[in-house]
């Protein structure tokens, strides 16, 4: 099923992929502190729930990237909800469970839901309605490696964010180089719907939010 869908999406969607990096040095400190607390209640707090929350906010601000093209390609459909799909690598292949209404959930709730969905996907217990209705997808290979990749859009969505491995890199602050944890992001968009300029504005919002706003989300 994945093979046929990937082939269709690759052939029918004119992809544009934008690349950027976010400084997540502060976010990682915050995540590690919170992670120690959430582990006590059995919740694994990775970077992904933060990303899901920030992307959900960004999609509310940039609704074009949360839209889809009608079947004939003549009309744009704007969604009044934000459902984020997350690509999960399983022994049975790639699954994309969906965190529904991610914009209305807190980071800890998203983390718990993501943990449960991942276990269900990996044990082949996921239900049909848990893999349906996504409006945008995140595909994270960050725990494995890569500096960048071109993720394939999941039709009828118009955007997908690829996440690669964060690494310490020197960043110039105007006076000196500082070691910062830089997270590579790859945003693929359906170019029939979204132009590169809007994509860059969206990506700028996401990288700024990752750099500055983490503290406000709790
Ligand atoms: N950079 C550096 N390290 C990262 C990272 C990143 N972007 N993302 C995760 N990590 C590290 C973290 O250190 C984390 O450990 P700690 O929390 O203890 O510090 C560790 O990786 C474990 O991450 P994880 O993989 O267990 O959890 P996750 O929430 O990051 O990802 C899931 C969950 C389900 C998305 C992931 O396991 C997975 O299946 N990814 C594959 C996606 C995929 O195949 N996409 C398709 C690509 S095209 O075919």
């Amino acid at each position: 099923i994945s093979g046929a869908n990937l082939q269709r999406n690759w052939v029918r969607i004119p992809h544009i992929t934008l690349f950027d990096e976010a400084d997540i040095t502060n976010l990682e400190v915050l995540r590690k502190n919170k992670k120690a607390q959430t582990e006590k209640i059995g919740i694994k707090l990775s970077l992904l729930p933060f990303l899901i929350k920030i992307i959900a906010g960004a999609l509310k601000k940039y609704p074009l990237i949360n839209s889809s093209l009608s079947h004939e390609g003549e009309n744009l459909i704007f969604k009044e909800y934000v459902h984020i799909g997350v690509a999960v690598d399983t022994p049975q292949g790639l699954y994309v469970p969906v965190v529904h209404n991610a914009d209305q959930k807190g980071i800890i709730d998203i983390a718990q839901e993501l943990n449960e969905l991942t276990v269900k996907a990996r044990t082949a217990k996921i239900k049909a309605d848990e893999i349906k209705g996504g409006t945008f997808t995140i595909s994270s290979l960050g725990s494995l490696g890569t500096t960048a990749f071109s993720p394939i859009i999941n039709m009828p969505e118009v955007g997908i964010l690829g996440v690669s491995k964060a690494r310490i890199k020197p960043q110039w602050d105007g006076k000196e180089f500082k070691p910062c944890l830089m997270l590579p992001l790859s945003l693929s968009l359906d170019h029939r719907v979204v132009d590169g300029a809007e994509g860059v504005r969206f990506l700028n919002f996401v990288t700024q939010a990752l750099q500055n706003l983490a503290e406000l989300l709790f």
Side-chain angles (χ1 to χ4, degrees), residues 6 24 28 31-32 35 39 44-49 51 86-90 93-97 114-115 117-119 122 138-146 149-152 160 162-167 181-185:
L6 287 166
I24 58 161
E28 189 59 4
R31 184 185 76 85
K32 286 207 165 130
K35 189 177 164 225
E39 266 169 5
K44 196 183 102 184
L45 187 62
S46 73
L47 186 63
L48 261 181
L51 261 172
V86 179
V88 176
D89 178 39
T90 83
L94 195 61
Y95 278 74
V96 187
L114 191 62
N115 289 182
L117 288 170
T118 304
V119 170
R122 289 189 172 146
I138 300 178
S139 178
S140 174
L141 292 171
S143 62
L144 301 168
T146 80
F149 65 103
S150 323
I152 300 177
I160 179 167
V163 184
S164 298
K165 189 176 180 62
R167 291 180 171 89
L181 186 62
M182 302 303 293
L183 180 71
L185 301 173

Side-chain angles (χ1 to χ4, degrees), residues 1-214:
I1 292 170
S2 293
N5 287 344
L6 287 166
Q7 167 78 12
R8 180 202 59 196
N9 297 342
W10 184 245
V11 170
R12 289 186 46 190
I13 302 173
H15 285 66
I16 175 175
T17 305
L18 308 168
F19 301 95
D20 206 347
E21 288 181 319
D23 179 354
I24 58 161
T25 315
N26 293 339
L27 178 58
E28 189 59 4
V29 173
L30 178 79
R31 184 185 76 85
K32 286 207 165 130
N33 286 337
K34 295 282 175 191
K35 189 177 164 225
Q37 292 170 21
T38 61
E39 266 169 5
K40 289 181 192 148
I41 50 169
I43 298 173
K44 196 183 102 184
L45 187 62
S46 73
L47 186 63
L48 261 181
F50 293 88
L51 261 172
I52 292 171
K53 184 71 192 172
I54 285 172
I55 291 290
L59 291 171
K60 298 289 276 187
K61 190 169 162 61
Y62 296 93
L64 194 59
I65 299 175
N66 196 47
S67 72
S68 63
L69 269 181
S70 64
H71 196 58
E72 316 74 42
E74 287 177 359
N75 294 298
L76 259 186
I77 301 160
F78 285 87
K79 316 283 169 60
E80 288 176 352
Y81 45 85
V82 177
H83 299 337
I84 308 273
V86 179
V88 176
D89 178 39
T90 83
Q92 298 83 33
L94 195 61
Y95 278 74
V96 187
V98 176
V99 178
H100 293 92
N101 300 308
D103 56 315
Q104 293 166 30
K105 292 175 178 163
I107 287 176
I108 305 296
D109 290 335
I110 293 174
Q112 184 169 20
E113 194 173 330
L114 191 62
N115 289 182
E116 289 166 6
L117 288 170
T118 304
V119 170
K120 282 187 189 176
R122 289 189 172 146
T123 53
K125 292 197 174 126
I126 198 111
K127 296 190 184 119
D129 59 359
E130 291 169 320
I131 51 172
K132 273 189 191 160
T135 59
F136 185 92
T137 297
I138 300 178
S139 178
S140 174
L141 292 171
S143 62
L144 301 168
T146 80
T147 52
F149 65 103
S150 323
I152 300 177
I153 295 163
N154 199 7
M155 218 162 147
E157 297 167 23
V158 300
I160 179 167
L161 185 76
V163 184
S164 298
K165 189 176 180 62
R167 291 180 171 89
I168 302 276
K169 290 186 179 176
Q171 296 296 308
W172 182 252
D173 71 358
K175 290 183 189 151
E176 57 182 345
F177 282 106
K178 288 195 169 155
C180 297
L181 186 62
M182 302 303 293
L183 180 71
L185 301 173
S186 314
L187 176 69
S188 288
L189 297 165
D190 184 335
H191 209 334
R192 294 171 299 175
V193 178
V194 192
D195 289 334
E198 185 73 345
V200 173
R201 284 189 277 270
F202 177 83
L203 205 47
N204 284 345
F205 180 88
V206 171
T207 53
Q208 287 302 314
L210 283 165
Q211 278 163 219
N212 303 325
L213 297 182

